[in-house]
Every structure is written in structure tokens, then in C-alpha cells.
Amino acid sequence: MAFSPLVDQLLETLRVLPGVGPKTAQRMALHLLERDRDGGRRLVASLGEALEQVGYCQRCRTLTETPLCTICEDARRDEGLLCVVESPADMLAIEQAGGYRGHYFVLHGHLSPLDGIGPEDIGLDQLDERLANGAIEELILATNPTVEGEATAHYIAEQLRGTGVRLSRLAYGVPMGGELEYVDGGTLSRAFNGRLPFAQESS
Amino acid sequence: MAFSPLVDQLLETLRVLPGVGPKTAQRMALHLLERDRDGGRRLVASLGEALEQVGYCQRCRTLTETPLCTICEDARRDEGLLCVVESPADMLAIEQAGGYRGHYFVLHGHLSPLDGIGPEDIGLDQLDERLANGAIEELILATNPTVEGEATAHYIAEQLRGTGVRLSRLAYGVPMGGELEYVDGGTLSRAFNGRLPFAQESS
Ligand SMILES: [Zn+2]
Ligand SMILES: [Zn+2]
């Protein structure tokens, strides 16, 4: 035992937070107990409320406490465009980048046969239903540019072959504002293969 | 708004934790909501319980949910030795280093006239009472080796002048296992001034 039983238990449970080891847990616990009990109480209330009430949007599967999320409810968004992402964080990153005005579908992961994660575990049956109603014209496969994300995108593309839904994938290339010498080789080679005539690079 | 109101509120309240910025808060919230709701519920319960029940030991002022902490209750510890520290974390570090078998007194800070933190705010009236009952033979001033910690140690020493209580301060010097070239100048000069004859360096 280090402190009292309740403090020790708090040091242990704080480690459910990603990236929090023993030293950080101690700093957090002492900060809340010694300097910010009101903040701690707000965290208890807010986390408790979110854990009980936040579920998944019935239409796009993102996190929300209402049956439909604000994006799915937004009548001004383009019903013909659907962007498939692995996580709500990816969806948020695309929203914050701005420019996209279609809808989303969140997989909450990617296909991973070795871990027993198959098509239904990432909601592909629900995605099929959504596509079957016919309003979607283009499906943007925005899974991560990783082996698993690529495999998932290919699986979805294969399922949709011949349905008439246009499929697209985010462009690969060197990230804006980066320096070429720090870009990894795989990305650089993709960027070379996908090179555009100079005048069209921003078209 | 980024996610739903409850998720946004959680992203905001997670930032009461020290060192947690917007990106880390988002990673924590999504981790708990998407992958570890049980862990999140354990955190809510444990933090709530600690915030309501953990107070201060009546004798040494460390954090505990009982009137006296386990160290103050431990009859095998030396009643003649009292070590004054700035925080429960310092007390824990000394306990984990091992070897010390006396008692503690936790200031929860240091004197800081500019911030309006005077002797009573760091419990020095309670320390005086403790010393007045006469059992303490040696007071070890283990405040931090910072300007404020030094000033606090000197203030306490001044108050006790002529009471017959032996005063000591942790030894200054180069940290074990460090390399001299990385030790700061102030520490190095203290280590030179406090140098010992070779045969006694471990006495
Ligand atoms: Zn939705
Ligand atoms: Zn105590």
C-alpha cells in the first residue's frame, strides 16, 4: 500500500485512461484531491452521464445521445454522398478540415479475421441496407491508409461491384506542409505514381 | 460543436486532469466510450468515492479517509523523528526509498507571501502544537531544494531556535547514478562545498 485504500484504488482506476502510467496517475489523483475537487466532481458527473446516455446514431453509427446525430438530422447535407470511416475521430477530422457536405458511416474498427472481427462486427450489413435504398450515388472509402484499412476498403468495394454506386478513395500523396525528406518511402512512391500535370495539381 | 453535447462536455471536463489537452481528451473520451465503458464506470465510482471520503490525517495531514493515516497509527515507528515534507507525493517517495522509520508532517505547499500563503496556511500552527508536547527529538526539514522550499525550511528553523529540538536538512549533492556533466552548477558547487573525506563518504 502506498497511500490510503481509497487513494490507492483511485491510482489504479485512473490507469483505465489511455497513456496513463503509475506516475501520471499519481500526479492526476493528487492534483484532483489536493487542488481541484470541484473539477474532479464535474468529471465524475460528466463521465457518468456520458457513459450512461451516449450510444450510437441509428443511421451513421457515430457516438451520440440522441437516436440520430446532428449530421444525420441535417437536411442541408447531400444525401447522395456517403463517406465510410473507421472511427468517430476520423469523422471529426474530416468535418474540421471542412469542405465535405455529405453523410458518414462509422465502422468502429476494420476487418480483422485473426481477431475474429468480420463484416457484421463493423456494421457492413447495415451499410448494405443503407445502400439498398438507392439514394447513395457515391461511396467514399475513407478507411485508414493501413494494411487493415486498405483490406476493409477492398472488401467493401468487392461487395458493391455491379451495383452502380460510384466508389472513391481518398487521394494518397505527400502531406501538405511537410518536408519531402521526412516523408516515408511508401507515401513518396505513391505520390510519384499518382503525379499530375503541373497545371492540374489543384483541380 | 464537434460530437454530441454530452461527448463535447466530456472532452471539456477531462481537461481538469493535469497535462490533458484537447487531443488527449478526445483520445481518452473515445477510448472509454468505444472500448472500455466498464473501466470508465470503475473510474467514476472510484473518483467519486475518493472525492467524498478522502480528507486529511488529523496528525500528519497526509491524504486519508480515516481520522489517522496508517503511518501515524503504526506504533513501531519512531515517535522522536518527524520529517516535514511539502506534499503527500514527497512522503510517498521517501517511504518508497525505504530506510526512514519516523513520522511525517505534510505542509501541502510552502510559504509564498506573494500568493498570500502564510504559516497557518501550511499548518505551522499545528506543527508547533505537535512539537510542544515534547516527544519529538529531531525535525528533518525535507522541503524541496527550491527557493520557496529553502525559505520555508529556514522559517521553521527560526521558529524553533532555542527549543532544544534537533534540526536537520536532507544532504545536497550530485544524484546517484547521474553523470557529472549533466548536473547543474548550483548542485555541483554544493556537492563540492559539502565534500567528505574519501573513507567516510558512505558513513
Ligand atoms: Zn448519424
Ligand atoms: Zn498521518
Side-chain angles (χ1 to χ4, degrees), chain B residues 75-192:
Chain B
R76 292 162 306 176
R77 297 191 73 122
D78 187 342
E79 289 288 336
L81 277 176
L82 190 64
C83 177
V84 177
V85 292
E86 292 187 31
S87 82
D90 298 336
M91 178 173 165
L92 181 64
I94 295 169
E95 283 297 293
Q96 285 175 343
Y100 178 68
R101 296 295 298 160
H103 285 270
Y104 292 93
F105 189 86
V106 181
L107 302 176
H108 294 288
H110 45 241
L111 290 177
S112 183
L114 289 180
D115 302 312
I117 299 174
E120 300 201 354
D121 300 304
I122 58 172
L124 295 188
D125 45 344
Q126 193 181 330
L127 179 62
D128 279 346
E129 279 174 39
R130 175 98 175 251
L131 291 164
N133 80 27
I136 307 292
E137 290 158 17
E138 179 179 351
L139 193 70
I140 302 160
L141 296 164
T143 51
N144 289 329
T146 57
V147 173
E148 298 86 356
E150 293 286 307
T152 304
H154 280 109
Y155 181 90
I156 297 172
E158 206 53 47
Q159 299 300 104
L160 294 178
R161 190 197 289 272
T163 61
V165 172
R166 201 158 68 245
L167 289 173
S168 59
R169 185 97 177 93
L170 296 187
Y172 287 103
V174 294
M176 297 294 292
E179 293 185 56
L180 282 192
E181 69 176 294
Y182 300 116
V183 172
D184 71 283
T187 301
L188 211 48
S189 119
R190 286 271 199 163
F192 261 94

Side-chain angles (χ1 to χ4, degrees), chain A residues 152-165:
Chain A
T152 304
H154 279 109
Y155 180 89
I156 296 171
E158 204 54 47
Q159 298 301 104
L160 294 178
R161 190 197 289 273
T163 60
V165 172

Side-chain angles (χ1 to χ4, degrees), chain A residues 26-69:
Chain A
Q26 182 181 311
R27 195 156 49 91
M28 288 175 167
L30 294 181
H31 174 81
L32 294 179
L33 290 171
E34 295 228 282
R35 284 188 292 278
D36 195 8
R37 293 205 181 207
D38 283 345
R41 287 189 193 99
R42 284 200 307 278
L43 178 55
V44 166
S46 168
L47 179 55
E49 208 177 359
L51 288 167
E52 295 320 313
Q53 295 182 38
V54 173
Y56 301 99
C57 174
Q58 288 168 6
R59 197 150 181 254
C60 75
R61 308 192 351 139
T62 197
L63 291 165
T64 179
E65 62 270 21
T66 47
L68 291 182
C69 74

Side-chain angles (χ1 to χ4, degrees), chain A residues 99-130:
Chain A
Y100 178 67
R101 295 296 297 162
H103 285 270
Y104 292 92
F105 188 85
V106 181
L107 303 176
H108 294 288
H110 46 241
L111 290 176
S112 184
L114 290 178
D115 302 312
I117 298 172
E120 298 199 356
D121 300 306
I122 58 172
L124 295 190
D125 45 345
Q126 193 181 332
L127 179 61
D128 280 346
E129 278 172 42
R130 175 97 174 251

